[in-house]
Amino acid sequence: MRLWTIIGAILMFLSNVFAQEKEQKLKNLFNEFHVSANHGIGSSKGFFGAGLGINKVFRPEKVIAFRTGLDFQFFHTWGNSGDPAHYSSISNVHYSFLDLTIPVVLRINIGMTFIELGGNLGLGILGQKRYNQHASFDNQASTEIIKKESLNQGFSVGPVLGVGVLIPMNEKLDLLIRPDVGANVYFKEAFTNVYARLCIGIHLK
């Protein structure tokens, strides 16, 4: 509930700002703005994350449109185990990280609704890896400690598929609602993040 209250407050602020005539000049650079909530899928444990985006939709009035821009996304994912060492193993691995992504998406408009298909190019900004380390030595009791270390997730790529609707608010603004699913493959840390996301924002006409 608190997350949706924050999202609602941000949307009201954006609506007040971009409803002014002078701010309409922004649509020459960006014409779609959103906040988002995401949740990991495909794991026995799931956690919520959040994000925001500033996008440019090219040919928005046509059936075939194209969307790109900048998205900031915070994710929290989980893994049950990691690579074991000779005398130790790790479990309960949590990845918390912030990505900057560039969407490259084809949008098919069908009246007020649309379908999107494309992908994301990502760069890790910061992150943390937290896990339980279990150590055991000959003739000694095993020990368990919680360890934290910085996470450098590096570059990522992945597909994204979504649907959405643009609801007219006035002659200058549409309300944007866009759920999607996606996956990011991180090459440096060799892991994959699969997620569902809900984006809510505004589209400048």
Side-chain angles (χ1 to χ4, degrees):
M1 182 64 67
R2 184 177 180 182
L3 176 62
W4 294 115
T5 301
I6 295 173
I7 289 175
I10 293 174
L11 288 175
M12 290 181 62
F13 171 76
L14 290 175
S15 297
N16 290 333
V17 171
F18 295 117
Q20 302 176 34
E21 183 66 31
K22 62 180 181 180
E23 297 294 343
Q24 288 292 315
K25 296 178 181 179
L26 276 178
K27 71 179 182 180
N28 295 326
L29 185 60
F30 299 107
N31 58 3
E32 207 163 88
F33 306 81
H34 71 260
V35 292
S36 65
N38 65 69
H39 194 278
I41 56 178
S43 173
S44 58
K45 288 186 180 180
F47 302 92
F48 281 101
L52 58 89
I54 51 174
N55 287 183
K56 173 69 174 181
V57 180
F58 296 90
R59 296 163 40 98
E61 73 287 351
K62 304 295 184 180
V63 174
I64 304 297
F66 175 75
R67 178 173 64 84
T68 188
L70 296 173
D71 287 357
F72 295 89
Q73 300 190 85
F74 172 77
F75 294 105
H76 182 183
T77 66
W78 179 84
N80 186 44
S81 62
D83 296 330
H86 183 62
Y87 288 107
S88 66
S89 62
I90 65 175
S91 64
N92 195 30
V93 185
H94 289 256
Y95 300 94
S96 303
F97 51 94
L98 178 66
D99 283 354
L100 171 62
T101 61
I102 299 175
V104 182
V105 176
L106 178 70
R107 175 179 289 186
I108 302 174
N109 292 305
I110 308 171
M112 292 171 52
T113 63
F114 59 83
I115 301 171
E116 290 192 337
L117 177 63
N120 289 319
L121 305 175
L123 174 64
I125 299 177
L126 55 87
Q128 182 186 78
K129 179 180 178 181
R130 178 169 57 88
Y131 56 90
N132 295 5
Q133 185 176 54
H134 311 268
S136 60
F137 301 94
D138 295 338
N139 301 321
Q140 296 184 22
S142 61
T143 61
E144 178 179 339
I145 59 174
I146 297 177
K147 300 192 70 173
K148 297 179 181 180
E149 58 186 52
S150 61
L151 176 69
N152 183 0
Q153 59 269 36
F155 290 97
S156 67
V157 297
V160 62
L161 173 65
V163 296
V165 60
L166 293 170
I167 303 172
M169 298 175 65
N170 54 45
E171 70 278 6
K172 300 175 183 177
L173 295 175
D174 289 336
L175 173 65
L176 166 72
I177 302 175
R178 190 182 76 236
D180 59 26
V181 293
N184 296 325
V185 179
Y186 299 88
F187 297 101
K188 188 169 185 178
E189 290 288 335
F191 73 95
T192 301
N193 175 37
V194 183
Y195 62 91
R197 182 177 62 161
L198 175 62
C199 301
I200 300 178
I202 58 174
H203 175 89
L204 302 182
K205 297 179 182 179

